[in-house]
Amino acid sequence: MQRATFGRRRTPTPLSLLRSTPLSATTSRRRFLTTALAAGACSTGLVACSDGTPPNSSAVPGGTDSRPAGGSNPPTAVPVTTGRQALDRLLAGNARFVAEREERLDEGVARRVAVSKGQHPFATVLGCVDSRVPIELVFDQGLGDLVVVRSAGEALDHSVTGSLEFGVAELHTPLLVVLGHQRCGALDATIKAVDAKQRTAEAGQIGYLVETLAPAVRQVAGQPGDRLTNAIHANVDMVLGKLRQSPVIGPLERAGKVELVGAYYELDTGKVIVS
Ligand SMILES: [Zn+2]
């Protein structure tokens, strides 16, 4: 199960985190997250905006906020209501990136002002920390378009999983992508650690990362083909499996509210290939 991969490190539970805050004991975790994470969360309807704007009010000054996820994006963009539409939009952006015809529609002053009071991202993406895989650039998306969570080798822990849950449950993105990538250094290092049968943890928390990623390396042992590439794909599949066990994400997927997709980014070509 997901928590079994967290290794020996003891991570504070959400409740203990709440106790360390000045919030009242009756404050729910959801309320805490919604209040603390983003001013844009006011648009989720759970809290009033910090500027006094009531919940569910317009995200665009002067506009009527009845649009679905992705609907506040540039007028030229097709509104996104389904995971399929969100994926099409991501892949269209990646095609622009590959062809070096990036539009950067969402980075201007007008866009910044438009999303300053609320956000309607159309996809949540978990990717690696690799400096060569900047998520918004790879998909040619801009301000307010994506909820991006990054960790080495897409390793899951409480914070990563919670952030992804926030993206799909509170910001209502209809798509959750787990993006692995070619020549992932985190998985390459894990292969070396597994081969060396390292029993002692690396310095800091790197050993924790290796422990978390090691099951994917072990799963592909003896398989034909490139070992690292196999491990990268296996890791994406395992991360998706763990996310489906989330009591937040799993039910949303089964209800058709969010689509979970695995993908692979090729460093050589810039292409994102959906699993
Ligand atoms: Zn990587």
Side-chain angles (χ1 to χ4, degrees):
M1 306 301 280
Q2 179 177 329
R3 287 171 194 271
T5 66
F6 290 160
R8 293 184 296 275
R9 186 166 66 100
R10 299 184 75 85
T11 305
T13 64
L15 280 176
S16 65
L17 284 173
L18 281 174
R19 284 191 209 103
S20 68
T21 73
L23 297 174
S24 74
T26 57
T27 304
S28 72
R29 176 171 174 265
R30 166 175 281 196
R31 179 60 179 262
F32 169 73
L33 282 171
T34 308
T35 304
L37 275 177
C42 65
S43 64
T44 66
L46 292 173
V47 296
C49 300
S50 57
D51 64 353
T53 309
N56 282 331
S57 63
S58 173
V60 181
T64 302
D65 187 19
S66 59
R67 290 162 297 188
S72 67
N73 290 304
T76 52
V78 177
V80 169
T81 58
T82 68
R84 182 71 243 181
Q85 291 171 336
L87 185 59
D88 287 345
R89 185 166 167 182
L90 278 183
L91 295 180
N94 178 245
R96 294 194 300 270
F97 173 74
V98 171
E100 295 187 291
R101 293 200 317 269
E102 297 95 326
E103 295 176 359
R104 299 281 188 273
L105 287 174
D106 296 353
E107 294 183 354
V109 173
R111 175 65 177 171
R112 174 166 55 77
V113 171
V115 299
S116 64
K117 298 294 194 299
Q119 57 177 320
H120 299 269
F122 70 90
T124 298
V125 182
L126 171 62
C128 183
V129 296
D130 194 296
S131 62
R132 302 163 295 180
V133 195
I135 306 299
E136 284 91 345
L137 293 182
V138 163
F139 289 114
D140 192 30
Q141 303 298 324
L143 300 175
D145 289 332
L146 303 178
V147 176
V148 173
V149 184
R150 297 176 69 174
S151 64
E154 309 86 60
L156 294 179
D157 65 9
H158 292 292
S159 294
V160 171
T161 302
S163 299
L164 296 171
E165 290 174 346
F166 186 81
V168 301
E170 303 295 348
L171 298 177
H172 308 294
T173 67
L175 178 68
L176 170 56
V177 177
V178 176
L179 182 66
H181 72 94
Q182 189 178 24
R183 301 189 197 100
C184 180
L187 278 156
D188 190 42
T190 302
I191 288 174
K192 291 179 172 65
V194 168
D195 287 351
K197 294 184 169 52
Q198 282 183 220
R199 293 185 180 280
T200 55
E202 301 268 0
Q205 297 300 318
I206 295 176
Y208 166 72
L209 281 173
V210 168
E211 283 181 30
T212 303
L213 299 175
V217 171
R218 295 193 182 99
Q219 180 175 298
V220 301
Q223 289 185 2
D226 180 74
R227 186 181 181 194
L228 175 56
T229 303
N230 291 342
I232 292 165
H233 286 295
N235 182 58
V236 168
D237 290 342
M238 294 180 83
V239 169
L240 285 170
K242 291 173 187 172
L243 292 176
R244 289 190 166 102
Q245 295 171 14
S246 154
V248 173
I249 297 171
L252 285 173
E253 185 190 31
R254 290 190 288 277
K257 302 284 189 186
V258 63
E259 187 171 337
L260 270 59
V261 169
Y264 179 82
Y265 175 74
E266 280 188 342
L267 292 174
D268 291 341
T269 64
K271 289 182 181 175
V272 171
I273 301 162
V274 175
S275 302

